[in-house]
């Protein structure tokens, strides 16, 4: 490609867009796949964008969905740029060369951020490396927080998930003009993005749209409807309005975001609490996605790449000094983890026996990670022998105490480890060869369905990245995960005798712990 090439122009179903040639790739940013979700469209499923005449410029990232900023404790590790504007249902495309003749594999990226933060404009998600290696990369913005996942009596549930489905349909219909093959679409995401993918590949409306899926640090799951309602009701109480979509739509957007952040500070991936999430809605999510994928016919032909980081929990416990605080709480923190996981005292006792040198925070963190993430992904892999591949990311950050924490693998997957935004989490001097290995595995999976190691079977092969030379371990988490097998058969998990006579006091202690987390992180 030469520097004097004219800008690439591609026609979409709604009008033509002009991108840019950058570093050997044609890049199109901010393409609308749906109309702005405001005014009469607020809290409603997405509608198609208005067609436009002429050629629309696609040289800059489009508006990001409304979201509160990260707290100072997290902002030093995670970047979350804001692009103002209402036209926030947009996507970006990186392609080696536009045109229907190429028929290249496609990877569609859904960002994480607990369904309340994040966007496709995060520099870590730059798609140049995928385009360089022959994969068309599409990254998507979707509604977040109360706008995308609030549960109201006068509006449909899961509008943010409907956004993602609309984007996926757009890709299936439009990507050939950008050089992609609509029959080779891989849907990939991390954290909340991976949770969304679990719901999407199980959705009746998405069958046939996806060939492969990548779930990074997020299992197929749904939230309890009452848990989401509590978020909405607490926001309504602070705002002194009814808990309806009509009332929320009348609130100043900045005040709404501020209130959402204040209410959400009492929730935590490790300690639980009210939070926004995908719910069963009788439509896109007719039942629990994990159950649908394990015992139903949903996505039977979809190949899976799934995994986690070794120390997921450290991103949530290191900021604000919570790691040491949880260690000091000792038995109360362990009891809080038991309440979070609804398990008996046998589980923490088993973890202590397997890891006698681990502190309380490590035991709590690994318990919660296994219960919420590794157990369901193991179950899903067991249901898809020969069609699932599992990995663990084990390289520890060069920053103090983070270890191989949640989201650390992203710079390696996208081969953007040199970006300042990746170094905020990884520190300086991340290994380039690990970038090559992980990014190459994702490219191979998108192109061929085989990332380069053996598929899941009874031996439980897990590809371990970053713990010395990359290698395959067999059943590395089986001993810990076996502790949960007996819990699944228990009718009502008992509480450790140490706390049996202190139920009210324990519940109060867990609430105090959540408030402490909120105060330290916000």
């Amino acid at each position: 490609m030469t520097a004097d090439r004219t800008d690439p122009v591609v026609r979409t179903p709604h009008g033509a867009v002009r991108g840019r040639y950058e570093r050997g790739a044609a890049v199109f940013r901010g393409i609308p796949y749906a109309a702005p979700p405001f005014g009469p469209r607020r809290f409603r499923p997405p509608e198609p964008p208005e067609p436009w005449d002429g050629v629309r410029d696609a040289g800059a990232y489009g508006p990001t969905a409304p979201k509160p900023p990260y707290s100072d404790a997290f902002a030093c590790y995670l970047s979350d740029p804001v692009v103002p504007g209402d036209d926030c249902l947009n996507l970006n495309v990186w392609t080696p060369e536009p045109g229907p003749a190429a028929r290249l594999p496609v990877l569609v990226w859904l960002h994480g951020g607990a369904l309340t933060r994040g966007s496709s404009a995060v520099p870590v998600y730059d798609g140049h490396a995928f385009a360089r290696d022959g994969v068309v990369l599409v990254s998507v913005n979707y509604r977040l927080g109360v706008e995308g996942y609030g549960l109201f009596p006068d509006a449909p549930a899961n509008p943010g998930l409907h956004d993602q489905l609309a984007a996926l349909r757009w890709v299936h219909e439009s990507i050939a003009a950008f050089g992609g093959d609509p029959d080779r679409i891989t849907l990939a995401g991390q954290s909340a993005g991976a949770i969304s993918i679990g719901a999407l590949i199980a959705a009746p409306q998405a069958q046939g749209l996806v060939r492969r899926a990548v779930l990074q640090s997020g299992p197929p799951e749904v939230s309890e409807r009452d848990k989401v309602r509590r978020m909405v009701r607490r926001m309504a109480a602070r705002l002194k309005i009814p808990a309806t979509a009509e009332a929320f739509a009348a609130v100043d957007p900045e005040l709404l975001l501020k209130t959402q952040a204040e209410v959400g500070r009492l929730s935590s991936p490790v300690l639980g609490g009210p939070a926004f999430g995908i719910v069963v809605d009788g439509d896109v999510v007719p039942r629990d996605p994990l159950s649908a994928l394990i015992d139903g016919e949903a996505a039977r032909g979809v190949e899976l790449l799934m995994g986690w980081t070794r120390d997921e929990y450290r991103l949530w416990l290191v900021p604000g000094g919570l790691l040491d605080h949880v260690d000091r709480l000792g038995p109360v923190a362990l009891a809080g983890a038991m309440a979070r996981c609804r398990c008996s005292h046998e589980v923490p006792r088993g973890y202590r026996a397997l890891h006698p040198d681990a502190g309380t925070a490590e035991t709590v963190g690994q318990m919660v990670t296994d219960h919420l993430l590794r157990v369901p992904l193991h179950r899903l892999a067991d249901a898809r022998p020969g069609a699932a591949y599992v990995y663990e990311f084990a390289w520890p950050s060069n920053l103090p105490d983070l270890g191989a924490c949640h989201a650390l693998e992203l710079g390696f997957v996208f081969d953007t480890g040199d970006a300042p935004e990746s170094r905020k989490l990884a520190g300086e001097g991340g290994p380039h060869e690990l970038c090559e290995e992980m990014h190459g595995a994702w490219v191979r999976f998108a192109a061929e369905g085989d990332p380069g190691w053996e598929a899941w079977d009874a031996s439980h092969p897990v590809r371990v990245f970053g713990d010395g030379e990359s290698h395959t371990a067999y059943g590395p988490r089986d001993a810990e995960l076996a502790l949960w097998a007996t819990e699944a058969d228990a009718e009502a998990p008992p509480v450790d005798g140490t706390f049996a006579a202190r139920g009210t006091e324990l519940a109060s202690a867990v609430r105090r712990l959540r408030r402490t987390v909120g105060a330290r992180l916000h």
Side-chain angles (χ1 to χ4, degrees):
M1 296 184 179
T2 60
D4 59 352
R5 297 183 68 176
T6 58
D7 292 336
V9 175
V10 170
R11 179 161 294 279
T12 78
H14 306 105
V17 292
R18 176 182 289 108
R20 304 287 188 274
Y21 282 112
E22 300 174 5
R23 292 186 285 148
V27 186
F28 302 80
R29 297 182 175 93
I31 304 172
Y33 65 84
F38 299 101
R41 303 186 189 97
R42 192 93 174 268
F43 302 111
R44 301 289 165 180
E47 298 179 7
E50 288 292 328
W52 59 88
D53 296 324
V55 180
R56 181 181 182 126
D57 186 70
Y61 286 112
T64 52
K67 57 189 175 178
Y70 280 116
S71 66
D72 291 343
F74 279 116
C76 62
Y77 297 115
L78 302 173
S79 296
D80 198 11
V82 172
V83 181
D86 288 347
D87 207 355
C88 61
L89 300 186
N90 59 71
L91 50 77
N92 318 297
V93 181
W94 285 259
T95 178
E97 186 67 36
R103 306 288 290 186
L104 295 169
V106 180
L107 191 145
V108 179
W109 179 254
L110 300 182
H111 67 81
L115 298 177
T116 57
R117 295 176 174 90
S119 79
S120 66
V122 175
V124 179
Y125 308 147
D126 184 283
H128 274 93
F130 278 102
R132 176 198 68 202
D133 295 330
V135 175
V136 178
L137 191 284
V138 181
S139 59
V140 178
N141 281 341
Y142 55 92
R143 277 174 284 182
L144 303 169
V146 71
E147 301 279 355
Y149 298 92
L151 196 54
F152 299 102
D154 55 338
N158 301 320
L161 190 67
H162 282 266
D163 295 343
Q164 296 166 356
L165 180 59
L168 184 58
R169 287 170 171 157
W170 185 98
V171 171
H172 198 265
E173 180 180 357
S174 309
I175 204 62
F178 292 86
D181 184 348
D183 294 324
R184 285 199 292 167
I185 293 174
T186 298
L187 189 56
Q190 184 264 351
S191 193
I195 292 169
S196 300
I197 288 168
L200 287 170
I201 62 175
Q205 296 91 328
Q207 303 308 297
L209 298 180
V210 177
R211 177 79 170 271
R212 303 180 179 107
V214 182
L215 283 74
Q216 298 174 216
S217 301
E221 68 175 19
V222 287
S223 296
E224 298 174 5
R225 294 178 71 90
D226 187 57
K227 182 178 179 180
V228 179
R229 283 197 188 98
R230 286 204 304 275
M231 278 291 288
V232 173
R233 288 169 180 163
R234 290 181 183 186
M235 289 182 66
R238 283 176 178 257
L239 294 166
K240 297 180 172 56
I241 60 172
T244 64
E246 181 181 13
F248 271 62
V251 176
D252 175 76
E254 290 301 319
L255 178 58
L256 201 60
L257 289 178
K258 180 182 177 182
T259 305
Q260 177 182 300
E262 290 172 349
V263 172
R265 73 184 182 87
L266 297 180
S267 64
S268 159
V270 175
L271 299 172
F276 290 112
I278 297 166
V279 298
V280 172
D281 60 12
D283 181 16
V284 176
V285 191
R287 58 181 297 209
D288 170 59
L290 182 62
S291 299
L293 292 169
I294 288 175
D295 61 29
E297 291 302 314
R300 274 294 163 191
V302 175
E303 298 156 320
L304 301 175
L305 172 59
M306 308 179 290
W308 48 76
T309 70
R310 181 166 290 181
D311 307 308
E312 297 272 0
Y313 67 94
R314 285 183 173 265
L315 183 61
W316 312 116
L317 293 186
V318 169
L322 284 169
L323 198 71
D324 292 338
H325 187 70
V326 172
D327 271 335
R328 288 195 298 270
L329 285 169
V332 170
L334 277 176
M338 289 164 54
R340 172 78 166 115
C341 300
R342 300 177 182 177
C343 68
S344 73
H345 64 281
E346 295 297 336
V347 173
R349 183 176 296 169
Y351 276 80
R352 283 281 171 83
L354 290 168
H355 305 282
D357 296 329
T360 298
E362 182 177 352
T363 301
V364 166
Q366 295 293 6
M367 273 179 57
V368 174
T369 300
D370 286 349
H371 173 67
L372 297 179
L373 176 60
R374 295 185 181 119
V375 168
L377 289 183
H378 259 244
R379 290 180 60 204
L380 182 53
D382 283 341
R384 303 294 176 97
Y389 298 85
V390 177
Y391 73 90
E392 176 170 292
F393 180 81
W395 181 78
S397 170
N398 286 322
L399 297 180
D401 298 323
L402 284 179
C405 68
H406 191 71
L408 182 59
E409 88 283 10
L410 291 170
F412 296 88
V413 168
F414 279 84
D415 196 4
T416 53
D418 289 334
E421 293 78 10
S422 292
R423 295 199 298 269
K424 286 177 70 173
L425 199 57
E428 299 292 336
H432 286 281
E433 63 275 12
L434 185 56
C435 280
E436 294 174 1
E437 289 176 4
M438 289 199 73
H439 175 72
W442 266 242
V443 167
R444 286 191 297 273
F445 183 72
E448 306 163 9
D450 183 350
W453 64 91
E454 61 198 278
W456 190 261
D457 60 18
S459 67
H460 293 180
V462 176
R463 191 66 172 177
V464 180
F465 291 100
D467 186 5
E469 184 176 348
S470 296
H471 61 280
T472 301
Y474 296 88
R477 299 280 174 180
D478 284 5
E480 291 90 344
L481 301 188
L483 297 170
W484 299 96
T486 55
E487 293 296 306
D489 299 328
E491 293 182 6
V495 177
D496 191 324
T498 307
F499 302 98
R502 299 167 53 198
T504 302
E505 182 181 346
L506 175 58
S508 177
V510 172
R511 286 194 295 271
R512 288 199 306 273
L513 182 57
R514 287 177 181 157
R515 286 195 293 272
T516 300
V517 170
R520 285 173 176 260
L521 295 184
H522 295 79

